Amino acid sequence: MGQIITAGRLLLARPGLALMAANAPHGGVASGLANLALFGHGQSNAAYANDQDGALLAMAQAIATYLDAAGTPAGVSNSASDVSGAGVYAGVAGYGSFLTYGGDTAAAASAAAYGADGTAMLGMIAALAPAARAATLAGILYWGETDSALTAFSGNGGLGYADKPVYKAALLNDIGQIRAAFGKSAAAMPFGVFGPPYGTPTGAAMVREAWVELAADPANNLVWAVPQTYDSITRGNNWNAATGVETLGLPNPGHRDAADNVAFYRRGALAMARAILASNGLAASLLPAALGAGTGPRIVAATLSGARVVLTIQHDGGTDLLVPAFAPPNGADAPLPAQGVGFSVMDGGSVTAPGTMIRAVACTRLDATHLQLTLASAPTNQASACRLFYPWPDEMWADQPLTEIGRGCAVTDNFGQIAVPADYDLNQLLGAGWRMNMPLGSPVSMTGSGASANARFGIALSPA
């Protein structure tokens, strides 16, 4: 029997599943690794993805195939590691957290002990068989919902945008306790982190900036494994495969649809395979450099001229840009991707005090590394005072169809279509759709490096 769990506006039904395993074909060049396991951790979206949708296991299968790892890959998670409504470090009544809140300081967050949720998770880890605890292991954090939403309550005890150091300290504390429970050092157990579309704009920006900054410091052994999750739909909604349009079905507010959860985890498999190689002292060359880092293409520059923006794209494993060609919806002149869905420019202002948001109305591929956007109007501020977002997360609750991007409507590379060595082609080894085109990531610009990294959500425009 499953159990029903409620927290705030979240409703979740899930089985009490502790360990999932399945065989995976062997590919790649033998890494010598064995008994690959992924530990899943988060709140209700993670519970759906890990414990109902099979997403965590799908990632484990893909990683094991990339690395030709011996043994049976497994995903380890249950209601102790994925707790509905529980963030990392909450300070608002009615919102749970794994760590016991002790004040809005990094020092307090670093020293915070686990409360009931965290203690239960440690008990679950301790109860695993010794072989499971000794496995080739990585942690997967599909998370950020409550931590993103709490910024809406800043001043009422929750974390605000300025509390990014507090959130970072709490996340490192949580990860450190999990590693210790498994008897793993930071160097030996990498963590991949990514999150569903959720929260206030400032909250979503804060957690993503924090992930980028933490990933910039090698000592943390953390990777932002899936930089784009807004190309998805609300759980239970309807999706038209011909037009790419989402409409209300039986929506499950705040949660991603099962097909999207699986897609996210498959996307993150290559990045995590590389992290596992490094954490086990193995050469990066065991995975061909031509596959890329596994995080997909990213926007590295945006130039503004009137109402037009030209984006420069840096490819990862792909070689070209694709603007998906759905049928025009509802008599529109162009499909959603060609209308520039998801792209917007903030005309002045900042994440904490947003300026006017100007949405794109057209997106055109110029060549393999450039896109041209047409905005609904020209910004009034100079280019350097404007920022590009993909997307700007302007909904706190996903109880209406997301308008930011939507399933299948992101601009992607062609990674799922290009030729790769047969031993690394998941489409041949595991089936169609396992090695997919990668969407443009949500841009986060960064200055500095290591522990001094400073990230900002979005990317500043330059004059043409």
Side-chain angles (χ1 to χ4, degrees):
M1 293 291 290
Q3 63 182 121
I4 301 296
I5 301 172
T6 59
R9 294 180 60 180
L10 305 182
L11 175 64
L12 172 64
R14 68 166 174 249
L17 193 63
L19 182 67
M20 300 180 291
N23 293 323
H26 294 296
V29 174
S31 63
L33 298 175
N35 301 321
L36 173 74
L38 301 180
F39 178 73
H41 184 32
Q43 53 187 100
S44 55
N45 272 293
Y48 276 121
N50 297 340
D51 306 332
Q52 288 196 22
D53 302 340
L56 186 67
L57 180 58
M59 181 185 278
Q61 290 177 280
I63 294 171
T65 303
Y66 272 130
L67 300 181
D68 195 17
T72 301
V76 181
S77 65
N78 67 8
S79 57
S81 62
D82 302 326
V83 179
S84 182
V88 178
Y89 186 67
V92 174
Y95 284 80
S97 64
F98 281 82
L99 294 167
T100 301
Y101 182 75
D104 286 7
T105 68
S110 293
Y114 275 147
D117 290 338
T119 301
M121 179 173 64
L122 294 182
M124 180 268 265
I125 296 171
L128 292 172
R133 294 199 301 275
T136 299
L137 194 70
I140 305 298
L141 305 179
Y142 182 40
W143 215 355
E145 300 100 296
T146 298
D147 303 298
S148 296
L150 285 182
T151 57
F153 308 102
S154 184
N156 283 326
L159 301 183
Y161 181 80
D163 295 313
K164 182 168 59 177
V166 181
Y167 172 71
K168 290 167 60 177
L171 195 58
L172 289 178
N173 180 351
D174 179 57
I175 291 171
Q177 294 201 51
I178 293 171
R179 284 170 169 155
F182 277 103
K184 302 283 188 179
S185 67
M189 186 178 179
F191 268 79
V193 60
F194 53 102
Y198 192 92
T200 62
T202 53
M206 186 272 279
V207 298
R208 284 157 178 78
E209 289 179 12
W211 299 339
V212 170
E213 291 175 6
L214 291 173
D217 187 349
N220 297 326
N221 200 10
L222 180 145
V223 60
W224 187 20
V226 185
Q228 183 61 267
T229 59
Y230 283 85
D231 58 328
S232 59
I233 68 171
T234 296
R235 199 174 188 91
N237 273 1
N238 301 312
W239 183 69
N240 188 319
T243 64
V245 173
E246 175 186 3
T247 54
L248 286 172
L250 297 173
N252 190 331
H255 299 123
R256 297 297 83 204
D257 197 64
D260 297 311
N261 281 334
V262 173
F264 297 156
Y265 280 63
R266 288 180 178 178
R267 280 180 201 167
L270 178 56
M272 291 310 300
R274 291 199 177 279
I276 289 169
L277 279 180
S279 295
N280 285 274
L282 298 171
S285 59
L286 284 176
L287 284 169
L291 294 176
T295 51
R298 63 190 187 98
I299 303 166
V300 293
T303 59
L304 176 67
S305 177
R308 292 185 177 179
V309 179
V310 173
L311 307 182
T312 300
I313 310 302
Q314 180 176 303
H315 282 293
D316 184 28
T319 60
D320 204 352
L321 295 171
L322 303 176
V323 181
F326 289 104
N330 302 322
D333 293 331
L336 293 175
Q339 292 180 47
V341 63
F343 290 105
S344 59
V345 167
M346 182 184 288
D347 187 7
S350 64
V351 169
T352 53
T356 301
M357 298 304 304
I358 305 175
R359 293 188 179 271
V361 294
C363 174
T364 305
R365 175 192 176 277
L366 296 180
D367 56 40
T369 57
H370 293 89
L371 298 170
Q372 179 174 280
L373 306 177
T374 302
L375 303 177
S377 61
T380 59
N381 285 274
Q382 61 183 359
S384 60
C386 300
R387 294 187 74 79
L388 175 88
F389 298 93
Y390 190 57
W392 175 247
D394 55 4
E395 297 183 20
M396 178 168 177
W397 296 97
D399 52 5
Q400 296 294 323
L402 286 170
T403 58
E404 290 90 350
I405 299 177
R407 179 188 293 169
C409 292
V411 174
T412 74
D413 66 11
N414 61 340
F415 180 63
Q417 303 172 13
I418 61 175
V420 300
D423 285 343
Y424 301 95
D425 190 346
L426 299 189
N427 287 337
Q428 296 299 318
L429 295 167
L430 295 175
W434 278 79
R435 182 174 64 87
M436 59 194 70
N437 297 338
M438 299 288 278
L440 285 181
S442 293
V444 179
S445 54
M446 186 178 69
T447 57
S449 60
S452 300
N454 181 28
R456 289 186 63 198
F457 196 57
I459 186 170
L461 273 61
S462 302

